[in-house]
Amino acid sequence: MPESKNKILVVDDELINRKVLEGLLKSFGFECVSAESGKAALAMLEPSFDLILLDIMMPDMDGFSVARAVRAIPSFADLPIVMVTALTAKEDRLKAVESGANDFVAKPIDATELRVRMNSLLRMKAYHDEVKGYQAHLEQMVAEKTRTLREALADLEMARQATLSAHIETIQKLSSAAEYKD
């Protein structure tokens, strides 16, 4: 069972397959959104999705094309994709991985296998998201320290200019005093 309610995008052109997957995912405790085509999936893609279950054999845009399109969007480059299909040949699995899929589950779906594979990918995504969050936090800290350092350098430069002006003024006054003494 997942620790929080992960949001899964199910993409399959067959309504019965989407309903079966939705039922399984809800029984696992996941939130589920369905798309009937690759184009529809790409149109509804948003950062709140934690994983995509993607059929390969669909009209218009097959699962390989959808996976490549998802990977081409930088903000979704790390979104886990699991191909769920009746294709089981080694070439299909290799093509799925080359297209950007993280895993491959054959139909008919074994619920336990699907849950274990999904939980593994979701755990990996959570760790990756945590690292990205920590990296963003570090970048923010570096930016803040850099801004503070630049301000300090600007203040230091102003103080140096003021000191230089004071030295020049002192030298000019001493020169004037020396001229009067002569």
Side-chain angles (χ1 to χ4, degrees), residues 131-146:
V131 168
K132 284 196 311 190
Y134 184 67
Q135 180 181 359
H137 174 70
L138 287 177
E139 288 172 0
Q140 181 183 5
M141 284 177 49
V142 167
E144 178 64 27
K145 296 294 183 190
T146 302

Side-chain angles (χ1 to χ4, degrees), residues 33 83 87 96 104 111 118 147 149:
V33 176
M83 295 290 195
L87 299 176
F104 194 98
M118 287 178 57
R147 184 187 60 75
L149 183 59

Side-chain angles (χ1 to χ4, degrees), residues 3 6 11 20 24 39 49 69 73 78 82-83 93 106 112 116 118 140-141 152 161 172 177 179:
E3 293 175 7
N6 294 103
V11 187
V20 166
L24 275 174
K39 289 179 182 175
F49 287 114
I73 304 168
D78 300 318
V82 177
M83 295 290 195
R93 289 177 183 264
T112 304
V116 167
M118 287 178 57
Q140 181 183 5
M141 284 177 49
Q161 289 291 340
Q172 287 173 343
E179 283 178 17

